[in-house]
Amino acid sequence: DQQVKQNSPSLSVQEGRISILNCDYTNSMFDYFLWYKKYPAEGPTFLISISSIKDKNEDGRFTVFLNKSAKHLSLHIVPSQPGDSAVYFCAASTNTNAGKSTFGDGTTLTVKP
Amino acid sequence: NAGVTQTPKFRVLKTGQSMTLLCAQDMNHEYMYWYRQDPGMGLRLIHYSVGEGTTAKGEVPDGYNVSRLKKQNFLLGLESAAPSQTSVYFCASTDRTNQPQHFGDGTRLSIL
């Protein structure tokens, strides 16, 4: 049973427009959510996170929204830039599991110039 | 500051051979993790460690062993490699729960 799901394997947007990446989870014990960005031949790098006590967190062009009742989070990138083209992983963890995170399968974002 | 360094970056093995992947971090992190990533899939946890001298099984531990003799190093071993273990392996570390993990750049392993 996959506890973290990213149902869109890929997304293509035009430069300057908004990119919205979605993630659903099933484990109600998750209390911390993260987004990682991964370029080819590199390891994932942390992008933005949100605690379950919040419903929104912003960092520059990146905003993460959390809807706990729906067990859904989304990452908004505004405006999208060609350098944002990468694989984005959603991850979730709890405060009691040795720092372990459960990852989604990733969404490949392509931003076209 | 190197962060998390994985050695080697690439390796080709024959079925039945053994090898060890090395992960080193210079951030004094307590927690370390080994993941594998297969095409179209996310990161799956193989083994992890919550401190020097400790190890624990993750989601997909079969066929792998690990050791954490020093706080900064986390070794992943394949005793008898199988084609199903062809994957990209990532090591990560963090200093406490509910914090981002820092990843190495991966080891691409092919088993023929």
Side-chain angles (χ1 to χ4, degrees):
Chain A
D1 177 31
Q2 196 167 11
Q3 297 187 64
V4 177
K5 292 184 179 180
Q6 295 177 253
N7 290 318
S8 297
S10 62
L11 174 68
S12 181
V13 300
Q14 206 66 34
E15 180 179 7
R17 305 294 290 268
I18 184 172
S19 295
I20 300 176
L21 292 84
N22 294 303
C23 179
D24 296 297
Y25 62 96
T26 57
N27 188 344
S28 59
M29 297 300 292
F30 288 142
D31 57 8
Y32 185 65
F33 304 89
L34 311 94
W35 285 94
Y36 290 87
K37 178 178 181 180
K38 184 185 179 304
Y39 293 118
E42 295 183 9
T45 56
F46 169 69
L47 187 59
I48 191 169
S49 63
I50 187 167
S51 165
S52 60
I53 63 174
K54 297 184 177 182
D55 56 15
K56 177 182 175 180
N57 188 29
E58 277 184 270
D59 184 1
R61 297 185 297 114
F62 303 92
T63 302
V64 56
F65 295 92
L66 175 62
N67 182 333
K68 284 192 297 181
S69 61
K71 294 189 176 67
H72 177 83
L73 64 155
S74 61
L75 174 68
H76 293 211
I77 306 174
V78 183
S80 301
Q81 299 174 354
D84 295 329
S85 297
V87 178
Y88 289 79
F89 290 102
C90 170
S93 67
T94 74
N95 196 34
T96 57
N97 67 350
K100 294 185 293 181
S101 285
T102 301
F103 287 80
D105 288 344
T107 296
T108 300
L109 173 66
T110 303
V111 180
K112 298 179 178 180
Chain B
N1 192 343
V4 178
T5 303
Q6 292 184 232
T7 310
K9 295 189 186 304
F10 305 96
R11 186 73 183 267
V12 179
L13 290 178
K14 294 181 179 178
T15 298
Q17 287 185 318
S18 63
M19 80 161 295
T20 300
L21 282 65
L22 171 64
C23 176
Q25 54 96 1
D26 61 4
M27 297 169 284
N28 202 35
H29 286 169
E30 288 293 335
Y31 301 149
M32 296 186 74
Y33 312 89
W34 275 107
Y35 296 93
R36 60 177 288 173
Q37 187 193 10
D38 299 306
M41 298 182 70
L43 300 164
R44 292 186 292 169
L45 183 64
I46 304 171
H47 286 280
Y48 65 100
S49 169
V50 299
E52 180 179 316
T54 75
T55 63
K57 293 181 180 180
E59 181 187 359
V60 289
D62 293 342
Y64 305 95
N65 56 75
V66 287
S67 65
R68 183 115 181 255
L69 299 180
K70 293 183 178 181
K71 186 177 184 178
Q72 64 267 33
N73 295 338
F74 195 28
L75 278 63
L76 177 70
L78 286 73
E79 291 186 346
S80 180
S84 61
Q85 294 177 304
T86 293
S87 189
V88 181
Y89 292 85
F90 290 101
C91 176
S93 70
T94 189
D95 56 353
R96 54 188 186 275
T97 60
N98 283 2
Q99 288 295 312
Q101 294 179 12
H102 299 256
F103 285 84
D105 283 339
T107 295
R108 186 174 296 275
L109 184 60
S110 294
I111 299 160
L112 307 177

